[in-house]
Amino acid sequence: MARFSWVTLVVVIFGGALGVAVRAVLVVPWGPGVHPLVLPAITMLVNVAGSFLLGLIAGRLGPRRPRLRAFLGTGVLGGFTTYSAFAVQTVQVFGAAPVTGLLLAAVAVLGGVAAAAWGLVIGRRKATVPEEVGG
């Protein structure tokens, strides 16, 4: 069992703040009057991209560099992605257009899983490739 570390907690907090800020930059500019599918689409893209990046980090780092993994995975990508917004937006879209809501949910979940798998494969390949020697 891993020991609790205050340093790791602080690293995660800073990473989370960074991830939330990046997501806010993508979401906040879209104000009222925007098409009702814009924010759910952005949330879906954020979550799929975050799934890919988390897979990439997990595959690349494996059990090595636990603080970097905590910063990037739990912190940055934990703050960047959002399951709660996905859930609320999916319910709202489903209430207005059930087929579109189901499609949004299916694409987000299946796309996220596929992106994570793709990221893991690429990350593991990068982890096993020896570093190029400069010439």
Side-chain angles (χ1 to χ4, degrees), residues 49 51-60 112-126:
S51 296
F52 170 77
L53 293 172
L54 185 57
L56 190 68
I57 290 165
R60 177 73 169 99
V113 170
W118 186 35
L120 275 169
V121 168
I122 292 171
R124 287 178 181 152
R125 284 186 185 159
K126 295 282 185 190

Side-chain angles (χ1 to χ4, degrees), residues 92-114:
Q92 289 172 330
V93 171
F94 183 81
V99 172
T100 304
L102 288 175
L103 286 173
L104 177 69
V107 170
V109 171
L110 296 176
V113 170

Side-chain angles (χ1 to χ4, degrees), residues 12-101:
V12 168
I13 290 169
F14 280 112
L18 179 63
V20 168
V22 172
R23 179 163 39 97
V25 165
L26 298 173
V27 172
V28 169
W30 303 97
V34 69
H35 190 279
L37 290 179
V38 168
L39 288 179
I42 291 171
T43 299
M44 180 187 65
L45 293 174
V46 161
N47 286 339
V48 170
S51 296
F52 170 77
L53 293 172
L54 185 57
L56 190 68
I57 290 165
R60 177 73 169 99
L61 295 178
R64 294 167 292 162
R65 306 193 64 189
R67 285 207 175 117
L68 180 59
R69 283 185 299 122
F71 173 74
L72 294 173
T74 306
V76 174
L77 294 173
F80 180 63
T81 59
T82 172
Y83 181 79
S84 56
F86 158 71
V88 169
Q89 292 167 352
T90 298
V91 169
Q92 289 172 330
V93 171
F94 183 81
V99 172
T100 304

